[in-house]
């Protein structure tokens, strides 16, 4: 993880969840909803057909009215087997299309006319509103619900003014309710995802220094080590410790110590490459993983950090750091490499501090 400084109180708020990330998250959440709706659509449609067969007469043969149930079964199976998130919306819209067509077949040439199927035309868009989480799905579903089912029936069996008013009135209400439910749901999901993002950021980034937390650093460092081993690429580690930090805390208070640590975090971020991984390992200890660097280059990076810190002042006194550097040799685990860098840091402290030591 590459980290950025935490926002100060007078900084603008952190950017909201990116549109692409939001859409991907919506697709992931859409899957269970679409699968549940596919089962509901199949069960509801079969019940609708059988109920119509039992309660009245229709000019459309029973087998033809039952026929849309077959593609609904196939869509249910497809929804269970094929779980690519990007296809969930298409599955839901396909099921909605067959459902609307089936409602038309069950209402055509029936004595009750539009009144028999009007409740279904009202219920379907409200029930299907969960699949409208993306705008293009919303538009497509609204068109299907408003036109695909009822329009052929209104053309083939012209309704009277009262029936037409009923249909238009109820359909407008249904679409408005669906849009309200959809908008509320999308807003809740967006707020939930943003909260998740902020919680992950707080868990992964040390809020005082703006670098990775210990747990995040170790996790990412292991991945980088494996990648370096696979490619046969060099890799180095710096262990950085603030000199005389306890004296600074004792003399000037914890606020001064926090300010010094925040300055160190900023200096580390500003004087290292974007690909370098920085983590706060302990109270005033930092570790830096340097992909692609040999030991000599790592030492130069440590010296650059040391000079940058020495130019910083806190409570009227100069800051300094001790740095230990080690490069990967035959280590296949992270801990032995960090231990060698820690040994170099101990040598830097024994030899007078404010210096860089290496172990070969």
């Amino acid at each position: 993880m590459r980290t950025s400084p935490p926002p100060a109180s007078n900084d603008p708020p952190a950017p909201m969840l990116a549109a692409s990330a939001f859409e991907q998250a919506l697709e992931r959440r859409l899957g269970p909803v679409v699968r549940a709706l596919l089962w509901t659509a199949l069960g509801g449609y079969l019940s609708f057909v059988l109920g119509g067969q039992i309660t009245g007469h229709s000019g459309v043969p029973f087998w033809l009215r039952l026929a849309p149930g077959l593609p609904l079964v196939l869509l249910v199976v497809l929804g269970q087997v094929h779980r690519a998130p990007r296809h969930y919306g298409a599955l839901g819209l396909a099921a909605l299309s067959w459902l609307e067509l089936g409602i038309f077949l069950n209402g055509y040439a029936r004595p009750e006319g539009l009144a028999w199927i009007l409740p279904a035309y009202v219920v379907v868009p409200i029930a299907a509103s969960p699949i409208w989480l993306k705008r293009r799905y919303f538009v497509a579903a609204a068109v299907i619900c408003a036109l695909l089912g009822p329009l052929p029936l209104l053309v083939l069996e012209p309704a009277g003014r009262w029936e037409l008013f009923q249909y238009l009135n109820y359909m407008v209400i249904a679409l408005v309710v669906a849009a309200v439910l959809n908008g509320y749901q999308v807003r809740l999901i967006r707020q939930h995802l943003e909260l998740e993002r902020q919680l992950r950021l707080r868990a992964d980034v040390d809020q005082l220094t703006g670098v990775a937390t210990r747990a995040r650093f170790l996790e990412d460092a292991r991945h980088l080590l494996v990648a370096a081993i696979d490619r046969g690429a060099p890799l180095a580690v710096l262990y950085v410790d603030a000199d005389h930090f306890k004296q600074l805390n004792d003399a000037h208070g914890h606020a001064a110590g926090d300010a010094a640590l925040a300055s160190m975090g900023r200096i580390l971020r500003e004087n290292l490459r974007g690909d370098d991984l920085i983590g706060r390992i302990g109270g005033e200890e930092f570790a830096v993983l340097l992909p692609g660097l040999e030991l000599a280059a790592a030492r130069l990076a440590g010296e650059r950090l040391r000079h940058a810190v020495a130019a910083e002042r806190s409570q009227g006194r100069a800051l300094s750091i001790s740095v230990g550097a080690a490069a990967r040799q035959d280590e296949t685990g992270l801990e032995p490499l960090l231990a060698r860098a820690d040994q170099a840091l101990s040598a830097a402290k024994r030899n007078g501090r404010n210096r860089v030591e290496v172990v070969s």
Side-chain angles (χ1 to χ4, degrees), residues 294-318:
E294 302 281 2
L295 186 58
R299 179 167 193 159
L300 290 176
E303 290 289 357
R304 185 168 64 251
L305 292 176
R306 189 177 66 84
H307 287 294
V309 171
E312 190 79 10
R313 300 188 68 83
S314 178
Q315 294 295 331
R317 60 178 291 179

Side-chain angles (χ1 to χ4, degrees), residues 43 67 94 107 119 158 163 175 180 182-183 202 263 300 304:
E163 289 81 6
L175 292 177
V180 171
N182 169 261
R202 289 182 177 274
S263 297
L300 290 176
R304 185 168 64 251

Side-chain angles (χ1 to χ4, degrees), residues 54-302:
I54 294 171
T55 58
H57 172 74
S58 174
V60 179
F62 176 71
W63 68 267
L64 184 57
R65 286 182 283 126
L66 192 61
L70 179 59
L72 287 176
V73 170
L74 295 177
L75 288 171
V76 167
V77 173
L78 190 59
Q80 297 299 316
V81 175
H82 187 69
R83 301 204 174 196
R86 64 184 181 277
H87 295 152
Y88 287 147
L91 284 175
L93 291 177
L96 184 62
S97 300
W98 282 108
L99 191 60
E100 290 284 341
L101 178 60
I103 294 173
F104 159 70
L105 291 175
N106 281 271
Y108 179 67
R110 192 176 172 95
E112 298 89 343
L114 186 64
W116 166 248
I117 57 174
L118 185 59
Y121 282 141
V122 174
V123 170
V124 167
I126 297 176
S129 62
I131 72 171
W132 299 3
L133 297 180
K134 299 171 76 171
R135 184 171 299 176
R136 61 178 177 270
Y137 295 154
F138 181 92
V139 174
V143 171
I144 291 171
C145 289
L147 300 179
L148 184 59
L151 186 60
L153 188 63
L154 293 175
V155 171
L156 295 175
E157 293 186 349
R161 290 183 178 180
W162 172 242
E163 289 81 6
L164 185 59
F165 170 78
Q166 278 186 306
Y167 163 71
L168 293 176
N169 186 51
Y170 287 126
M171 184 55 65
V172 168
I173 292 174
L175 292 177
V176 169
V177 170
V180 171
L181 291 176
N182 169 261
Y184 183 69
Q185 182 180 7
V186 170
R187 186 176 67 178
L188 286 180
I189 293 176
R190 186 182 291 275
Q191 291 174 347
H192 177 73
L193 293 174
E194 177 62 20
L195 180 60
E196 282 185 353
R197 186 190 70 83
Q198 292 179 1
L199 290 175
R200 283 196 303 270
L201 184 63
R202 289 182 177 274
D204 293 341
V205 179
D206 179 67
Q207 297 300 297
L208 177 61
T209 61
V211 303
T213 59
R214 176 187 177 89
R216 188 63 186 185
F217 172 84
L218 294 176
E219 180 181 348
D220 287 354
R222 290 189 177 95
H223 291 309
L224 290 174
L225 176 60
V226 171
I229 293 173
D230 291 342
R231 297 195 306 267
L235 183 77
V237 173
L238 300 179
Y239 240 95
V240 181
D241 186 72
D243 293 331
H244 306 296
F245 185 75
K246 185 177 185 303
Q247 290 89 325
L248 176 64
N249 263 339
D250 292 343
H252 301 285
H254 290 288
D258 287 348
L261 289 175
S263 297
M264 283 186 60
R266 173 180 53 80
I267 291 169
L268 290 172
R269 296 192 308 271
E270 291 177 351
N271 289 274
L272 291 168
R273 303 169 303 168
D275 291 336
D276 296 332
L277 178 64
I278 315 168
R280 185 181 178 188
I281 302 301
E284 66 272 16
E285 290 186 352
F286 297 81
V288 181
L289 205 71
L290 305 167
L293 293 192
E294 302 281 2
L295 186 58
R299 179 167 193 159
L300 290 176

